[in-house]
Amino acid sequence: MNTIILGVDLAKTAFSVCEMGAAGHVRRRLDLKRDAFALWLAQQPAGTVVAMEACSGAHHWARRCHEYGLQPRIIAA
C-alpha cells in the first residue's frame, strides 16, 4: 500500500509529518528539520496529496510541492 496523503504541521524549525495510506490508516509519523523536510519531500511519489494548515509559510511549501509534482492542499485553521 502506497502513501497517498501526507499531513504536515508546519513550524519554525521542525515539521511533523503524518503519512496515511489508501485505507486511511496512519503508516508512520516523522519529525523533520526544515532542510531535511525539503529533501524528504522531493523523494515522495508524484501525485501524493500534501495537506497543511494555512500559515505564513504554507504558500512557500505549496510551491515547492508543485515543483516536485505533488498536490498541495492548504486548509484553513
Side-chain angles (χ1 to χ4, degrees):
M1 173 189 329
N2 292 333
T3 300
I4 61 164
I5 297 176
L6 301 172
V8 181
D9 181 19
L10 301 173
K12 288 184 181 181
T13 57
F15 301 157
S16 296
V17 179
C18 177
E19 295 182 7
M20 290 182 59
H25 298 289
V26 175
R27 295 189 59 216
R28 72 176 170 161
R29 297 172 195 267
L30 300 167
D31 290 326
L32 301 167
K33 299 283 186 183
R34 184 178 294 269
D35 293 336
F37 177 70
L39 294 173
W40 178 83
L41 198 61
Q43 297 172 1
Q44 300 310 305
T48 301
V49 175
V50 181
M52 62 194 95
E53 182 179 2
C55 67
S56 59
H59 292 282
H60 165 76
W61 289 107
R63 287 189 297 272
R64 292 291 280 286
C65 288
H66 274 293
E67 291 173 9
Y68 301 141
L70 306 173
Q71 297 179 20
R73 301 288 187 263
I74 299 177
I75 302 168

